[in-house]
Amino acid sequence: MTTPTRPWAAARLAPYPAVVRRPHATVSIDPATQLGVFRDRAGRVVERGRHGTGSGTETSTTTNSDSKNDQGHDQDSSQD
């Protein structure tokens, strides 16, 4: 007869931390800007703050036109 054993990870379980209520009830995507629109339970838009935008460019270089193994590229990015 086999004695059941407690799974080793069961001792690591803990209750979830306290629940934090967020000021929004729904999130949808604005089709014009492709940004999330947060609304409260009354349907009013909730401002969620701003964050910066970033952009980047990449250029490809080939130093030997008959070989695909002799390639490189440059990258740059900017954040505001």
Side-chain angles (χ1 to χ4, degrees), residues 1 4 6-7 11 13-14 19-20 23-26 32 35-36 38-40 44-45 52 56 58 64 70 73-74:
M1 177 174 258
R6 185 174 182 200
L13 296 176
V19 175
V20 177
H24 67 277
T26 63
L35 298 174
F38 297 81
R39 296 187 184 276
D40 64 11
R44 296 180 299 251
V45 174
E58 182 173 357
N64 187 353
D70 199 12
H73 64 276
D74 295 324

Side-chain angles (χ1 to χ4, degrees), residues 26-40:
T26 63
V27 181
S28 59
I29 302 293
D30 180 0
T33 62
Q34 297 293 302
L35 298 174
V37 178
F38 297 81
R39 296 187 184 276
D40 64 11

Side-chain angles (χ1 to χ4, degrees), residues 67-80:
S67 173
K68 294 188 184 230
N69 295 332
D70 199 12
Q71 291 184 351
H73 64 276
D74 295 324
Q75 293 179 335
D76 69 355
S77 63
S78 63
Q79 182 78 26
D80 61 357

